Amino acid sequence: MNRQLSALPDSKTTRIILPYNRQYVFFAVYEVLDKNGAEYEKTDASTILAEMSVYGNLSRFSVSVNEQETGTELTVTMVHPCEGLSASGVQRSVTAVADSISQHLENELVINKLKA
């Protein structure tokens, strides 16, 4: 799978360019949130706010999905970390959410096709 991952300087945001249609990425976001028992709300056409536990720490995330020329940009930002969570814990959690979405897409769109 072709993807670009970048952690932004504030360490609370991770951005990935995924080689999938925007709609597929949105479906994957919802699947991952539902699977993890997250409470979430769509705030606009491209952003979802979610409260979910990652590594046992309940935090609030913003997940945005935007179409780009090179693919679909997935941006995950921790907007309210669990009390006492270190900066490296924040970055690990943000990366884990982005990776879960990316892996779900790969499983559904690539691996399952190969098995069929």
Side-chain angles (χ1 to χ4, degrees):
M1 177 177 70
N2 180 20
R3 71 180 204 155
Q4 290 178 294
L5 171 67
S6 65
L8 300 180
D10 67 3
S11 81
K12 292 184 178 182
T13 300
T14 295
R15 187 169 287 145
I16 303 175
I17 302 295
L18 298 165
Y20 304 112
N21 176 291
R22 180 178 182 268
Q23 197 64 30
Y24 289 154
V25 177
F26 257 120
F27 286 141
V29 169
Y30 286 120
E31 288 286 326
V32 168
L33 293 176
D34 287 340
K35 184 176 113 182
N36 287 293
E39 292 185 27
Y40 57 86
E41 63 180 297
K42 192 169 183 180
T43 61
D44 62 35
S46 64
T47 305
I48 300 164
L49 288 178
E51 188 167 89
M52 65 187 275
S53 179
V54 178
Y55 302 130
N57 302 306
L58 187 63
S59 300
R60 192 159 176 84
F61 298 86
S62 171
V63 181
S64 297
V65 178
N66 294 293
E67 195 133 5
Q68 303 293 323
E69 285 184 25
T70 58
T72 300
E73 179 182 78
L74 171 69
T75 304
V76 178
T77 302
M78 185 176 289
V79 293
H80 186 68
C82 170
E83 186 175 330
L85 192 61
S86 67
S88 58
V90 168
Q91 186 58 54
R92 278 191 303 274
S93 296
V94 168
T95 300
V97 172
D99 284 347
S100 293
I101 296 164
S102 176
Q103 186 63 52
H104 182 79
L105 282 159
E106 186 174 340
N107 289 350
E108 292 299 316
L109 299 174
V110 178
I111 294 172
N112 288 342
K113 269 188 178 177
L114 295 175
K115 290 180 181 177

